[in-house]
Amino acid sequence: MTALSTATRTPFKSVMFGCGAVTALAICLTPLPLWAQDQPTEESAAPEGAPARAPVPLVPGEPTWDSFHGQLNAQKYSPLDQITADNVGELEKVWEVHTGDVADGSGDLPATVWSATPVFANDTLYIGTPFYRILALDPGSGEEKWSFDTQSSLEALTQPALKNRGVAYWEADDPVAGEPCQKIIYMGTMDAQLFAVDADSGEQCADFADNGVLNVNQWNDTNDHWPLSLLQPPTVVGEHLILGWAGMDWAYEQAPPGTVYSINARTGEREWTFQALSDQMREQSGTANVWTHMSADEELGLVYLPVSSPSPNYWGGNRTEEVPLGTSTTALDIETGEVVWSRQWVHHDIWDYDINAAPTLMDITVNGEEIPALIQSTKMGFLFVVNRKTGEDVWPIEERSVPGGDGSVEGEVYAPTQPFPTKPAPLLDQSEKPKVWALADAVSFGECSALWDDLHYEGMYTPPTTQGEGTLGYPISAGGVQWGGVAFDPESQTAIVNTSHIVQYIKLYNRDDYELADSGSGNESGFAPQEGAPYGMRLEVALNRLGMPCWEPPFGELVALDMTTGDVKWRRPVGASQQYGFFMPESWGSPTIGGPAVTAGDIIFIGASMDAKVRAYSLETGEELWSDQTEAPSVSNPAVYEYNGRQYVAFVSGGNTILKDQVGDQIAVYALPE
């Protein structure tokens, strides 16, 4: 995984990488090598007699929030409009639940990181916890209907913390009356067990895998340095559970290859697999996995994978051949797993620029043409927009020359070019070295300026180095857009995205120097061995001794984009940073983890900020309209649902130690007064 992500986290050849400029489309649309995925197996056949099911339309006709991003299109959009700009100020907390499943890392347990978005389905609110329990709650009161404890070991086997991003929901189109498990909740664990329980009772589903438990680690048979942690719930597409996994690709040169599995939702049988790495590459590298959610267009029969970088993250001398599916958005045939199209967003990724969020699917009108589009947010702060049927550019994506290395790293073959979108404009200005923040520099007696002078920087995509304090990255793994992704209002064709402006720096150490320098690592920062590679590495956020950022604010923003033109409608700082208990001016903004939801009431709901507030903004103007204090930062997307005629907004305030040492176990649900 990646530094600020969770999961697994990923250099070139002197040939141009495909899929950048319009003129390169022929390259990108060329059928990809057969090793991209296995062929369907016999066991993949649909159950005999299973009825054909109607695909879910891109924008469901009724309000739904039955998956991680609300809907399979990942729009995080609700057509509910009870809450508007005129009344959102009246929102009140109508119930809250503290799960008890929380640890700050000071005791026997690792700290918890809780990024689960509740799922509303079957007139129930379902959620998973970092202690790997499933809770089924009354959506109007929070009263517990049932709970299920996986009894999973609470060990941080692949991650620095206990992590959970929730559950997935499936229901049969042809339910058999009186039979259990016609509706199923799925949740995975850090040791790669996938549990299936009846959505009505919480009882394990006997017909799924081994009495309701699928051991995914049974397929972990190459470079199995660690289990395939199931932190993200599966993406449910029809009768398929599309399953990725998380790992620790900063630790070893060779890592488990990033296989994606399609599992039968009823039986747990494996149907097909997808591999982003060739057979040879799977032996000498690893990962290029999918550790976050995916999106799907059932009408087109496509599932869209955000694919991470190969291992190790910051050195690529073991993978100088092309890896065209690494750090990409790849569209697969839902039924077979065959690659339909793929676009690579970083060639020879040595910055841990995993594609880390489900692409958001949207129908947009550009120059009078209706386009079935897809927008892919990235850690780089770029938003790539393509036709989701074909992968072709909507606005030109250009291959531009990027810096080569300084010659200090052996074995590397750098990519001479990288893809740059022409529209929308980058969410942050990576065109020049960020300016030193005068305040942080002054109070640290020039510490920031000294650090800046000792960091190598030749522009975006400057490769890691062994020299000085290393290479400045803006952004690297902590910045840009995280797994919350892009929300989209289909009515106004407005996209909403939160972004973090964070400067990090990375240095490679040869083995002897690494052993002398290694002083441990923090939560996805500090030292990492890249064992087996000739270099270990160190990644740090550029702070002064007082913990102040060395670069100028704002540190985080919320941005609205007109998707008919690709232009920015408005942008504003989001949230407030907090240090030593003090809130900084809101004009400075906050780094963010988590993402937005948007409603037909023209309201944007979002937590995500260091100050542990949840907020509502005007979709039209970006004005902040409402806020409330919660127990910890809400680092997941909110859920919007309707129950018994009343509209609710649910935030999970679990915190993330990458953002701040404040964790929580609170589900806070808001509605208008009755």
Side-chain angles (χ1 to χ4, degrees):
M1 160 175 171
T2 85
L4 182 78
S5 50
T6 125
T8 110
R9 309 163 190 223
T10 276
F12 162 20
K13 302 199 58 156
S14 56
V15 296
M16 178 175 214
F17 285 86
C19 307
V22 174
T23 53
L25 277 174
I27 300 176
C28 111
L29 299 177
T30 298
L32 290 156
L34 290 176
W35 48 258
Q37 71 290 311
D38 297 343
Q39 295 298 310
T41 61
E42 291 183 5
E43 61 193 26
S44 71
E48 188 175 352
R53 60 181 300 279
V56 174
L58 184 69
V59 181
E62 300 293 329
T64 61
W65 212 275
D66 58 6
S67 66
F68 182 73
H69 279 321
Q71 312 85 28
L72 273 178
N73 57 30
Q75 290 183 357
K76 304 102 182 170
Y77 169 76
S78 173
L80 297 173
D81 59 2
Q82 282 184 7
I83 303 170
T84 67
D86 291 335
N87 61 28
V88 68
E90 302 171 21
L91 275 184
E92 59 184 22
K93 188 164 55 184
V94 293
W95 62 264
E96 66 179 309
V97 164
H98 291 268
T99 70
D101 293 357
V102 61
D104 63 6
S106 60
D108 294 333
L109 293 177
T112 50
V113 167
W114 196 22
S115 311
T117 296
V119 166
F120 175 72
N122 193 32
D123 277 349
T124 303
L125 206 63
Y126 299 101
I127 196 163
T129 78
F131 286 5
Y132 308 108
R133 292 194 306 136
I134 304 173
L135 304 179
L137 305 175
D138 182 291
S141 66
E143 182 180 351
E144 184 175 301
K145 294 184 172 182
W146 56 259
S147 65
F148 175 80
D149 191 343
T150 64
Q151 301 288 329
S152 179
S153 169
L154 301 183
E155 296 181 68
L157 298 174
T158 66
Q159 307 290 310
L162 299 174
K163 294 185 178 181
N164 178 271
R165 292 203 179 119
V167 300
Y169 175 81
W170 169 88
E171 66 178 48
D173 284 344
D174 55 339
V176 179
E179 289 292 318
C181 295
Q182 303 302 293
K183 303 171 183 176
I184 300 178
I185 300 296
Y186 309 91
M187 190 179 73
T189 63
M190 192 172 287
D191 59 357
Q193 307 296 308
L194 180 66
F195 286 80
V197 301
D198 183 281
D200 290 324
S201 67
E203 299 292 326
Q204 287 182 236
C205 293
D207 292 338
F208 183 87
D210 184 7
N211 197 31
V213 187
L214 175 63
N215 177 17
V216 176
N217 214 42
Q218 66 182 293
W219 302 319
N220 184 12
D221 54 10
T222 304
N223 302 331
D224 55 341
H225 297 288
W226 61 74
L228 310 180
S229 291
L230 307 179
L231 309 176
Q232 177 75 37
T235 301
V236 180
V237 190
E239 298 284 316
H240 310 279
L241 308 179
I242 315 298
L243 195 64
W245 51 267
M248 47 189 307
D249 50 3
W250 60 95
Y252 297 93
E253 175 191 30
Q254 296 175 332
T259 311
V260 172
Y261 305 97
S262 176
I263 308 297
N264 184 279
R266 300 172 187 260
T267 66
E269 291 182 335
R270 188 171 64 172
E271 300 172 324
W272 51 259
T273 60
F274 161 80
Q275 300 279 1
L277 302 177
S278 65
D279 290 343
Q280 176 186 353
M281 198 62 70
R282 283 201 288 274
E283 295 293 332
Q284 64 197 48
S285 175
T287 60
N289 56 330
V290 178
W291 54 261
T292 186
H293 208 59
M294 300 163 240
S295 50
D297 185 331
E298 289 196 80
E299 295 278 1
L300 296 179
L302 298 177
V303 60
Y304 302 93
L305 277 55
V307 182
S308 80
S309 58
S311 66
N313 285 337
Y314 299 98
W315 179 77
N318 65 334
R319 46 185 169 91
T320 55
E321 302 88 345
E322 291 187 50
V323 185
L325 300 180
T327 318
S328 73
T329 303
T330 296
L332 305 183
D333 183 299
I334 292 171
E335 299 300 327
T336 67
E338 293 178 348
V339 177
V340 176
W341 61 261
S342 182
R343 298 294 300 263
Q344 185 173 62
W345 305 127
V346 182
H347 309 317
H348 193 71
D349 187 351
I350 48 175
W351 303 271
D352 190 25
Y353 280 144
D354 296 348
I355 303 305
N356 60 355
T360 302
L361 315 184
M362 54 183 67
D363 292 331
I364 57 178
T365 307
V366 179
N367 297 325
E369 181 185 357
E370 306 292 328
I371 300 176
L374 166 162
I375 186 169
Q376 179 65 71
S377 59
T378 67
K379 289 184 178 181
M380 298 87 80
F382 292 146
L383 300 169
F384 294 100
V385 184
V386 298
N387 184 309
R388 68 176 180 273
K389 287 184 178 179
T390 65
E392 299 171 12
D393 297 0
V394 171
W395 291 286
I397 298 168
E398 301 175 346
E399 288 288 329
R400 298 179 186 169
S401 297
V402 295
D406 60 6
S408 69
V409 179
E410 66 181 53
E412 280 291 8
V413 182
Y414 301 108
T417 65
Q418 295 287 356
F420 286 74
T422 55
K423 273 192 170 184
L427 294 171
L428 59 169
D429 183 4
Q430 314 98 322
S431 64
E432 59 183 18
K433 195 173 187 176
K435 292 183 172 58
V436 170
W437 188 16
L439 177 61
D441 199 36
V443 300
S444 62
F445 302 102
E447 186 180 14
C448 292
S449 294
L451 175 62
W452 250 234
D453 290 342
D454 212 8
L455 291 176
H456 185 58
Y457 187 78
E458 296 179 54
M460 186 77 177
Y461 294 111
T462 301
T465 179
T466 64
Q467 305 299 304
E469 286 295 328
T471 296
L472 182 147
Y474 179 66
I476 307 189
S477 59
V481 184
Q482 289 298 322
W483 57 82
V486 176
F488 180 68
D489 170 40
E491 296 298 322
S492 63
Q493 298 194 22
T494 303
I496 305 295
V497 62
N498 53 296
T499 182
S500 298
H501 303 193
I502 298 176
V503 176
Q504 293 173 288
Y505 57 102
I506 179 174
K507 182 175 180 177
L508 300 180
Y509 296 82
N510 65 40
R511 280 290 150 214
D512 291 340
D513 290 342
Y514 183 81
E515 296 305 321
L516 293 173
D518 183 359
S519 60
S521 63
N523 191 2
E524 299 176 9
S525 63
F527 289 87
Q530 301 190 140
E531 192 172 314
Y535 299 96
M537 52 78 60
R538 178 193 183 200
L539 177 71
E540 300 287 354
V541 177
L543 306 174
N544 68 14
R545 70 192 69 191
L546 302 175
M548 298 173 65
C550 279
W551 65 99
E552 293 182 333
F555 307 119
E557 292 183 289
L558 191 63
V559 183
L561 301 160
D562 182 341
M563 293 306 296
T564 67
T565 64
D567 296 330
V568 172
K569 295 179 71 170
W570 53 260
R571 62 188 307 156
R572 54 157 299 143
V574 60
S577 299
Q578 189 179 22
Q579 183 65 288
Y580 307 124
F582 298 101
F583 294 111
M584 304 297 118
E586 293 204 8
S587 61
W588 293 0
S590 166
T592 59
I593 298 179
V598 62
T599 75
D602 293 339
I603 300 295
I604 302 164
F605 292 103
I606 188 171
S609 55
M610 288 182 74
D611 58 4
K613 286 187 175 181
V614 293
R615 291 176 164 85
Y617 295 92
S618 164
L619 174 65
E620 181 61 30
T621 66
E623 179 187 1
E624 183 178 317
L625 302 171
W626 168 86
S627 69
D628 193 40
Q629 191 73 48
T630 56
E631 182 181 58
S634 296
V635 294
S636 60
N637 297 68
V640 181
Y641 62 92
E642 182 179 47
Y643 181 65
N644 289 340
R646 192 179 191 190
Q647 181 179 342
Y648 297 85
V649 184
F651 293 90
V652 168
S653 299
N656 188 314
T657 46
I658 298 172
L659 189 64
K660 178 184 181 185
D661 290 332
Q662 182 181 17
V663 295
D665 66 344
Q666 181 190 33
I667 306 169
V669 179
Y670 299 85
L672 295 172
E674 288 186 298

